[in-house]
Amino acid sequence: YIRPELVRLAPEHVLVIEALDDRAVPERARDEVHKLFPDVKAALLKRAGPFPFLAAPAEVNLLLTIHMRNHGFPELPPSPKPAAAASS
């Protein structure tokens, strides 16, 4: 159950990321979110399943970067590469 009165963000600050091939979220639940929050930004990925951040991390990162930049947050520098494991 969604309680919109508990969401304390302005709708323009919210980004909903969905995937067309996500079978875990019933269509009626998606419809309810869009009905309760009609002014939020929505991004739709073709193939990302129920966990877009795992299945399509580059696309999700791009969407989040653009969304954050549109709200005045500067672009973050790239994350450092993890150090190679030392061989024994």
Side-chain angles (χ1 to χ4, degrees), residues 59-73:
E59 291 88 345
V60 170
N61 189 38
L62 179 61
L63 290 169
L64 291 173
T65 299
I66 291 168
H67 184 72
M68 298 298 285
R69 200 178 302 152
N70 287 342
H71 292 284
F73 290 90

Side-chain angles (χ1 to χ4, degrees), residues 1-19:
Y1 178 71
I2 300 169
R3 294 179 56 193
E5 69 275 7
L6 297 179
V7 177
R8 303 203 188 274
L9 292 172
E12 63 270 11
H13 292 159
V14 178
L15 174 65
V16 175
I17 300 175
E18 298 178 287

Side-chain angles (χ1 to χ4, degrees), residues 21-51:
D21 63 345
D22 180 0
R23 303 288 182 246
V25 178
E27 193 66 34
R28 70 178 188 276
R30 289 181 194 211
D31 293 343
E32 183 178 349
V33 168
H34 292 285
K35 187 167 62 171
L36 291 171
F37 304 101
D39 298 323
V40 300
K41 300 285 183 191
L44 190 59
L45 299 172
K46 286 184 181 180
R47 295 187 185 127
F51 303 105

